[in-house]
Amino acid sequence: MKSWMIKCISLIAIVLTPFANAVDIQPNTLYPQVELETSMGTIVVELDRTRAPLTVDNFLTYVVKGHYDNTLFHRVIADFVVQGGGLDLNKEERPTEQPIVNESGNGLSNLTGTIAMARENEPHTATSQFYFNVVDNEKLDPSSRRWGYTVFGEVTSGMEVLAAMAIVPTEFNNKLEWPDFPIQDIILKKATLLPRE
């Protein structure tokens, strides 16, 4: 009897877990907006759920759960990208959800001021890390022979902040063994899903 009750409780917990973890990511908003408050100023991005629904939902889930709060922009390459979304202030990687399907063939291009998902070499490996294109990077778009990097929105306010980020001095970080790491921390203090307009 006791083992039967334990099995029932376990089953109920499994069934309820997705609901317990449910967050409001404005599923019916086609172009949600997110405000990124950084140590260098504020950036607002408008996301495109019509072109990249899985990627937008994934990004917003991290936003609403607070994953991006007090994280570092850890990769800055002038005339290329500014990347963040993965490291806490101690330069430790934050745990992530499962990788998502690559949506790079959605017609959006890696142009200046767009936001896109970072990933490993394999195409379907994006989790929480994202980057801003600070120049036109069409070479990151898909072709008939390779997957690209998924663009899912664009900066609508704060391009001057992004431009300032792009030219900060960087160095090789010995702890992480990563190049292009800002010498002075650039902190993403808070990411907020803005109310529907």
Side-chain angles (χ1 to χ4, degrees), residues 43-62:
I43 298 170
V44 177
V45 292
E46 181 179 85
L47 310 181
D48 192 339
R49 197 176 248 129
T50 67
R51 297 289 190 92
L54 298 175
T55 307
V56 169
D57 286 358
N58 175 72
F59 181 77
L60 290 180
T61 299
Y62 283 111

Side-chain angles (χ1 to χ4, degrees), residues 7 17-18 21 23 30 32 69 72 92 95 107 117 125 132 175 182-183 185 190:
K7 284 180 184 174
T17 296
N21 292 331
V23 292
L30 295 181
D69 298 352
L72 296 172
E92 302 286 341
M117 291 306 295
T125 52
F132 291 106
K175 175 182 177 181
I183 294 173
D185 286 349
K190 177 82 175 163

Side-chain angles (χ1 to χ4, degrees), residues 28-144:
N28 299 319
T29 304
L30 295 181
Y31 301 99
Q33 294 190 325
V34 173
E35 181 182 80
L36 305 172
E37 181 192 347
T38 82
S39 55
M40 294 185 69
T42 299
I43 298 170
V44 177
V45 292
E46 181 179 85
L47 310 181
D48 192 339
R49 197 176 248 129
T50 67
R51 297 289 190 92
L54 298 175
T55 307
V56 169
D57 286 358
N58 175 72
F59 181 77
L60 290 180
T61 299
Y62 283 111
V63 168
V64 173
K65 287 187 172 182
H67 175 90
Y68 295 128
D69 298 352
N70 295 310
T71 56
L72 296 172
F73 285 96
H74 63 270
R75 183 179 183 226
V76 172
I77 304 175
D79 299 323
F80 187 41
V81 299
V82 171
Q83 182 173 332
L87 298 182
D88 66 21
L89 301 185
N90 294 316
K91 301 179 176 64
E92 302 286 341
E93 289 196 57
R94 288 199 167 164
T96 61
E97 304 296 332
Q98 291 299 309
I100 58 172
V101 172
N102 188 310
E103 293 181 301
S104 62
N106 62 17
L108 298 176
S109 181
N110 281 271
L111 301 178
T112 305
T114 56
I115 184 172
M117 291 306 295
R119 61 172 172 81
E120 298 172 16
N121 288 332
E122 292 299 313
H124 308 292
T125 52
T127 54
S128 69
Q129 290 192 29
F130 61 89
Y131 64 89
F132 291 106
N133 288 292
V134 294
V135 294
D136 292 347
N137 289 316
E138 291 102 326
K139 62 188 174 185
L140 300 178
D141 294 344
S143 72
S144 59

Side-chain angles (χ1 to χ4, degrees), residues 73-78 80-84 87 165-166 168-174 176-184 186:
F73 285 96
H74 63 270
R75 183 179 183 226
V76 172
I77 304 175
F80 187 41
V81 299
V82 171
Q83 182 173 332
L87 298 182
M165 285 183 183
V168 300
T170 62
E171 64 184 356
F172 184 87
N173 185 280
N174 291 316
L176 299 167
E177 298 186 346
W178 289 356
D180 308 308
F181 205 98
I183 294 173
Q184 295 283 104
I186 305 176

Side-chain angles (χ1 to χ4, degrees), residues 8-20:
C8 282
I9 291 169
S10 298
L11 182 60
I12 290 168
I14 290 168
V15 170
L16 291 179
T17 296
F19 299 101

